[in-house]
Amino acid sequence: MDTELNPLQKAVIEALGVPADWEPLPEDIVHSIESQLENELAPLKGLFTAEEPLRINKHHIATVHGCEKYHVLNRQSQFAWNINTVRGTIAHKGIELLLNWRGPIIPSEIVDAAITSVAENPRESASDFIISLPAHELAELRGAVVGAVSNFLECFPPVKPQWRPMVEYSASYSLFDKSVLFTSRMDLVLGGPGRKVIIDLKTGRLTPTHRDDLRFYALIETLRSRQAPRSLGSYSLDSARLDSEDVTEGLLQSAVRRTAQGTLLIADLALKTREPEVRPGFQCRWCPANDTCAQGIQYLRQLSGDDEDAD
Ligand code: SF4
């Protein structure tokens, strides 16, 4: 029997529910966006191979449209875990367990199980980082994730099995004999083929790039499954806020343009046909070159107001 939903849960249902007049996008849209992507990326034919493909994910596209040098540095460096990034991983694992949990729902128990599951899985790259955490940092991590999982329980409607929830859903698509490979991993997907709702669960603030990330997912899912998803949503676990939009032909076309432009830029940088452009922005705050890059140093000074303070 359905339990009474609170106002926040009702708001999510209203935003993501199927409108009475909803119609799936026509099938020929799949062919038209596929041709558009192929045409725009035609200059890459023969430049990469299936053995060493040009790999593209949402993060690559987002960073190359920001500072190209930052993009190159990021691709060269080994990913290093920190408390913030591992918080998102454990929160996602907690929600995955929550959706399949049998027995009483106690957030702290689910989070403990999530931490254990990630820490004890040798295939999880975060496992060594978690094991190395001192007790006080582990307690901080646990507390933060318990907060996120509790928020999800309180503010997101209970996910019904008939919504066919899939957590950490991977989709990929390739072009030109698998030499250009697009990959995606979606946090939560609800609904059956042709009417999927793709949800990104965020542990931090929602930013404009979240919409671009989801549009990239919508594009890859459309090309892979040959059916467009119905709707997209970024859900902030901290603020219990949902930002959603319907998938339209215009949305998919804009995702193709942004993905194609980004992929061409990434190919240039991978092939070293030119020097990366330097474009200061918010990413300077966590860029590994922010103590040597003159533009980044100046930008960060301006951001913190140092320039105004100087005599
Ligand atoms: S510090 Fe900023 S401008 Fe400089 S390379 Fe890094 S992201 Fe780009």
Side-chain angles (χ1 to χ4, degrees), residues 215-233:
R215 290 172 183 184
F216 175 79
Y217 287 162
L219 173 64
I220 302 310
E221 173 59 17
T222 302
L223 294 171
R224 187 203 68 86
S225 70
R226 319 307 290 173
Q227 288 175 298
R230 181 174 60 78
S231 183
L232 311 171

Side-chain angles (χ1 to χ4, degrees), residues 67 69-70 73 278-281 283-284 287-290 293 295-297:
C67 174
K69 187 169 174 192
Y70 175 72
L73 291 171
V278 174
R279 290 190 287 263
Q283 72 281 353
C284 293
C287 173
N290 65 9
C293 166
Q295 293 95 323
I297 291 170

